[in-house]
Amino acid sequence: MLPDRLPEPLRQGLTRNLPPVWAALLLTPVLTLVPAVIIQIVLVAPLLGDAELPLDLTAQNLVLLSYLGVWLALWAWLRRYEGRPLASIGLTREAPLRQLFGGVMIAVGVLGLAVVGVALVGEVGLEPTPSLLLPALLSLIGWSVQASAEEAVFRGWLLPVLSARRSPAFGLMLSSLLFALLHGANLGFSPVAFVNIALVGLLSGLYVMQQGSLWGVIGLHIAFNWLQGNLLGLPVSGAAFEASFFQTTVRGPALVTGGTFGLEGSLLTTLFLLVACGVVAWALRRGATSETTTSGTEERL
């Protein structure tokens, strides 16, 4: 069972000017997509011309850096309409590096198990390309902007708003489903991919609630994308990139390998995401139980 309210760091910045549920759901794709698309059309497209997949490092980072517009749009909304600072979405000052590292470790665990599973069921070939190590590392710049922007909107803003309007369970489920739906136009999207992206949203939401901060899921999201696209050279939600340290070949049924969508379209990833969600939910419930017990003891004293 989920707690009946969000952790204090995510709750304390909320104001009376929160949008209603229907408006928050409509505003989310506007905040997430419109600023980035405008920047890509006006600034990025003229520079890239007719770029095709797989994107080279310059094209990849330019596309991903367009998500700076998402950060700007969210900041403007929070300041002008809700009357609160950007830090109120869970950008706490308490041990951000430690929390980032924790999120990275979750991504490493889920993806590592998925790759091992694919290798056992099908076939995985890894060929290192040392000359691309530096470009692969530089791609972290773009992923840091893109992944953090999506987390800021979905887990930093939408989840707390929906939770405040209804309940944490309502906010968790609806924000996860919307997160998956907004990936629906990606190359190779499938029913399994929809379930997995929703599970990524669920895992991220649970982790935010367990940590009381956005830093952990930012680390998780950055690592999840970078490990697939620029370490292993696999598609990331259907997008392929040139600057990868390994050139990875995957053979086997699409339900196992994920096909053109990448590991996020694999049933093995579904399994390991479910396990990760269960572990984080258990930690969340344990923390909530401990907090309730402590609070009750203090009241008796």
Side-chain angles (χ1 to χ4, degrees), residues 2-270:
L2 293 175
D4 57 1
R5 60 181 183 173
L6 292 172
E8 180 62 24
L10 298 177
R11 197 173 67 247
Q12 64 185 2
L14 298 176
T15 68
R16 295 181 179 180
N17 296 328
L18 299 180
V21 169
W22 66 267
L25 294 176
L26 290 177
L27 184 60
T28 297
V30 173
L31 288 172
T32 309
L33 300 176
V34 172
V37 169
I38 290 175
I39 292 175
Q40 289 170 19
I41 292 174
V42 175
L43 298 177
V44 177
L47 293 174
L48 297 183
D50 298 325
E52 298 181 354
L53 294 177
L55 296 178
D56 61 26
L57 176 64
T58 301
Q60 176 184 346
N61 269 341
L62 284 176
V63 170
L64 295 178
L65 287 172
S66 68
Y67 280 77
L68 285 168
V70 177
W71 275 108
L72 181 61
L74 180 59
W75 168 79
W77 171 266
L78 291 172
R79 181 171 181 178
R80 301 289 296 180
Y81 183 81
E82 296 186 20
R84 57 184 175 122
L86 190 60
S88 66
I89 63 173
L91 299 175
T92 60
R93 296 181 179 180
E94 184 179 350
L97 291 179
R98 178 177 58 80
Q99 294 182 49
L100 280 166
F101 182 75
V104 169
M105 288 299 97
I106 293 176
V108 169
V110 171
L111 290 175
L113 289 170
V115 171
V116 170
V118 172
L120 292 174
V121 177
E123 181 181 344
V124 176
L126 293 174
E127 182 179 344
T129 50
S131 62
L132 291 178
L133 177 59
L134 180 59
L137 292 173
L138 289 174
S139 68
L140 280 167
I141 299 170
W143 285 126
S144 296
V145 172
Q146 183 268 345
S148 63
E150 287 192 355
E151 292 306 320
V153 173
F154 279 93
R155 260 64 69 176
W157 178 74
L158 180 62
L159 173 59
V161 168
L162 296 179
S163 299
R165 286 296 189 188
R166 297 288 178 85
S167 70
F170 178 84
L172 192 61
M173 295 304 171
L174 216 56
S175 62
S176 300
L177 290 174
L178 184 58
F179 183 63
L181 284 172
L182 291 186
H183 287 76
N186 292 21
L187 180 67
F189 191 74
S190 66
V192 176
F194 174 82
V195 170
N196 284 349
I197 298 297
L199 285 174
V200 169
L202 181 63
L203 173 62
S204 299
L206 288 168
Y207 197 45
V208 163
M209 293 171 67
Q210 192 267 329
Q211 293 283 302
S213 165
L214 202 63
W215 294 114
V217 292
I218 288 176
L220 191 159
H221 199 151
I222 293 171
F224 209 80
N225 289 350
W226 182 80
L227 290 170
Q228 290 179 91
N230 296 102
L231 181 67
L232 296 175
L234 296 171
V236 181
S237 300
F241 307 102
E242 283 185 356
S244 61
F245 180 67
F246 288 103
Q247 303 300 312
T248 305
T249 55
V250 179
R251 296 184 180 87
L255 285 175
V256 173
T257 66
T260 55
F261 197 76
L263 287 176
E264 292 162 300
S266 168
L267 283 174
L268 290 172
T269 304
T270 309

